[in-house]
């Protein structure tokens, strides 16, 4: 007899366990996928410049050095150079940290925001935005849209419209270009500069259009028209996007730009160095104003910087430096310190004109984040330079580090009828100071010259001192991003290479000569200086040398 076979399947304990484990794993994977899709990054080494807030649906952010768009929470930080965009049927607004401006983004809109010492700026890439400006006196908010620039220096409300953002624009391949820009001033007053007619005029050469409350402008079409008391028609603001282009390109070799100021007063600056409080006077000019905006200057480029004007008081010397810094990086000099004026003085009321070669030792990947600074140490009163001119020329994009070896028998002499040394404080003690004279090594041995280690250099000095000097010595120092490295003094022991073991009497002619070996190579004279160190011991004030003669020889 045949038995019927049961078709009923019952789950046992193992089956239940497998089912529960798989369900939990699926839930965890779904949670991780959701969190990854909605995650956002916080930059630990950088302070945010603004915050973004949602009004409806979705907004995203992309760092300047990233290709990833992040979906943000209802309140997220925004950093310098970040791009922000909204999707379909979405609205959001971002507000600068100091409350200087609030920018509302309607759907399918995109902006990029920047903040520097000089100003806050917005690159408007597409869509429609509404700006409520509340910038304090003396500051301004600048909105760039293709070749149109809108400057707000007071309280104002402005609406700006462009074609909606395409996928290529969102990826950063396409900027606003020459698309039609519609500007409507709701309240307040703004200035508008337009270069969409294809002219080669610089921004400084274009006459600004002053817009008041209730006016609107349309730029980028075949005509530019002003409409009073009529809202801007953003529906017609549509144009084919321009061909993709790289928004950041290498600066052109040979480009040359000049900034002029009728008067420039140096700002007082203080800092601490090795426990010693130091100070100087300085002013800065954006590098993008002197070359081009958003350009790359590659490492090894050779620049020529010219500074001219008339100082209101006597200056011992001043230094030129280019500072740069990118996302996640601290500010740093792009080259070794460049000092001017070989030991003498820039006399008050007397015009000067100094040209200096500068080799860039870091890639400057964005000139809009870099500046040219001119500074001098505290030692004179506040100085105002009249008829100031700062010119920067890109001489070469490569080969700036090429050097020639100094030849034996080379000689150079400097003579000064009367020269007073300056006081240099190097420590916190009451006697931690010397009196010093600095000369640029490239003007002693020639520009871009190297001297290998082991080669000897002879220093000869003669003249008369106004006070008795306990000892004084020569030195060559190599300057590299704030690190000063002596080349001829062992372990910074300048006393060991002094000219004379006996004190030098006051008002008695002297003549000394000393041969010193380079303990380390001088790889590029553009980064080096000669200094004459005079001990401050027993000197109530800075010594003055009469009929001073300095001779340098390569043996």
């Amino acid at each position: 007899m045949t038995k019927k076979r049961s078709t009923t399947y019952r789950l046992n304990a193992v089956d239940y366990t497998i089912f529960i484990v798989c369900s939990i794993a699926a839930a965890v994977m779904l949670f991780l996928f959701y969190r990854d899709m909605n995650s956002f990054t916080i930059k630990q080494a950088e302070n945010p410049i603004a915050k973004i807030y949602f009004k409806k649906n979705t907004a995203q952010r992309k760092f300047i050095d990233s290709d990833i768009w992040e979906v943000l929470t209802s309140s997220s930080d925004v950093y310098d150079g970040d791009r922000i965009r909204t999707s379909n049927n979405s609205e959001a607004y971002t507000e600068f940290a100091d409350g200087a401006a609030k920018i509302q983004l309607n759907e399918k809109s995109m902006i990029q925001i920047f903040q520097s010492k000089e100003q806050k700026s917005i690159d408007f890439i597409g869509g429609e935005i509404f700006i409520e400006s509340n910038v304090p006196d003396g500051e301004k908010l600048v909105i760039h849209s293709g070749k149109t620039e809108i400057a707000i220096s007071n309280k104002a409300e402005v609406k700006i419209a462009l074609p909606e953002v395409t996928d290529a624009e969102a990826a950063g391949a396409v900027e606003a270009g020459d698309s039609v820009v519609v500007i409507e001033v709701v309240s307040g007053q703004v200035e508008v500069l337009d270069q969409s007619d294809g002219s080669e005029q610089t921004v400084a050469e274009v006459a600004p259009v002053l817009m008041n409350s209730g006016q609107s402008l349309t730029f980028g079409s075949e005509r530019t028209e002003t409409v009073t008391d009529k809202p801007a028609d953003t529906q017609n603001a549509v144009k084919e996007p321009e061909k993709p282009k790289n928004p950041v390109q290498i600066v052109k070799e040979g480009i040359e730009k000049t900034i002029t100021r009728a008067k420039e007063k140096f700002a007082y600056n203080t800092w601490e160095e090795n426990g010693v409080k130091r100070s100087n006077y300085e002013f800065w000019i954006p590098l993008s104003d002197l070359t081009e905006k958003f350009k790359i200057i590659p490492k090894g480029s050779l620049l020529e910087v010219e500074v001219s004007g008339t100082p209101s008081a006597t200056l011992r010397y001043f230094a030129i430096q280019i500072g740069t810094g990118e996302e996640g990086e601290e500010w740093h000099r792009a080259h070794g310190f460049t000092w001017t004026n070989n030991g003498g003085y820039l006399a008050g009321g007397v015009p000067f004109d100094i040209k200096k070669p500068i080799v860039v030792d870091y890639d400057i990947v964005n000139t809009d984040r870099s500046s040219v600074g001119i500074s001098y140490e505290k030692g004179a009163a506040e100085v105002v330079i009249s008829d100031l001119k700062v010119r920067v020329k890109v001489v070469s994009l490569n080969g700036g580090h090429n050097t020639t070896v100094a030849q034996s028998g080379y000689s150079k002499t400097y003579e000064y009828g009367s020269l007073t040394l300056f006081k240099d404080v190097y420590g916190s003690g009451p006697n931690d100071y010397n009196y010093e004279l600095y000369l640029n090594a490239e003007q002693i041995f020639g520009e871009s010259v190297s001297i290998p280690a082991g080669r000897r250099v002879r220093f000869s000095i003669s003249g008369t001192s106004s006070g008795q000097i306990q000892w004084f010595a020569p030195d060559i120092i190599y300057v590299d991003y704030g690190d000063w490295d002596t080349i001829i003094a062992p372990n910074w022991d300048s006393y060991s290479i002094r000219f004379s073991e006996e004190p030098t009497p006051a008002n008695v002619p002297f003549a000394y000569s000393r041969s010193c070996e380079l303990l380390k190579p001088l790889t590029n004279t553009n980064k080096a200086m000669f200094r004459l160190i005079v001990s401050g011991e027993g000197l109530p004030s800075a010594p003055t040398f009469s009929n001073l003669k300095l001779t340098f020889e390569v043996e």
Side-chain angles (χ1 to χ4, degrees), residues 190 275 321 546 548:
V190 302
Q321 58 180 313
S546 301
L548 180 65

Side-chain angles (χ1 to χ4, degrees), residues 58-75:
T58 305
Q60 294 177 299
R61 175 194 64 193
K62 181 167 76 71
F63 292 146
I64 192 171
D65 54 357
S66 172
D67 294 324
I68 300 174
W69 285 98
E70 297 179 336
V71 177
L72 302 177
T73 62
S74 58
S75 174

Side-chain angles (χ1 to χ4, degrees), residues 29-101:
M29 292 179 66
L30 286 172
F31 170 76
L32 292 176
F33 175 76
Y34 173 83
R35 190 177 67 173
D36 182 68
M37 290 297 294
N38 292 273
S39 64
F40 61 96
T41 305
I42 297 175
K43 292 189 174 183
Q44 300 291 343
E46 185 176 346
N47 293 326
I49 65 171
K51 274 189 175 293
I52 184 172
Y53 305 91
F54 292 156
K55 293 185 68 177
K56 185 169 61 174
N57 290 340
T58 305
Q60 294 177 299
R61 175 194 64 193
K62 181 167 76 71
F63 292 146
I64 192 171
D65 54 357
S66 172
D67 294 324
I68 300 174
W69 285 98
E70 297 179 336
V71 177
L72 302 177
T73 62
S74 58
S75 174
S76 301
D77 289 333
V78 179
Y79 300 88
D80 189 26
D82 283 2
R83 289 195 177 202
I84 301 167
R85 70 177 182 183
T86 54
S87 58
N88 290 332
N89 197 29
S90 299
E91 291 181 16
Y93 72 92
T94 183
E95 188 171 10
F96 281 98
D98 60 0

Side-chain angles (χ1 to χ4, degrees), residues 65 108-109 209 244 250 257 261 310 317 331 374 424 439 544:
D65 54 357
K108 300 180 70 175
S109 301
V209 176
I250 295 178
K257 291 289 182 68
R261 306 275 177 86
T310 303
Y317 62 77
W331 178 95
I374 299 173
D424 181 48
L439 300 175
T544 298

Side-chain angles (χ1 to χ4, degrees), residues 404-410 449 455 554-555:
T404 57
V405 179
Q407 300 299 313
S408 297
Y410 176 87
V449 171
R455 180 70 63 86
V554 180
E555 296 182 341

Side-chain angles (χ1 to χ4, degrees), residues 49 64 78-83 96 111-116 119-125 141-142 144 293-294 327 366 368-369:
I49 65 171
I64 192 171
V78 179
Y79 300 88
D80 189 26
D82 283 2
R83 289 195 177 202
F96 281 98
I111 62 173
Q112 187 172 18
I113 65 174
F114 300 92
Q115 180 172 300
S116 65
Q119 67 180 27
K120 298 174 176 64
S121 61
I122 303 167
D123 281 2
F124 179 37
I125 301 167
L141 173 68
V142 177
H144 300 280
K293 200 173 183 65
F294 304 121
E327 295 286 351
N366 189 343
D368 201 49
R369 296 179 182 273

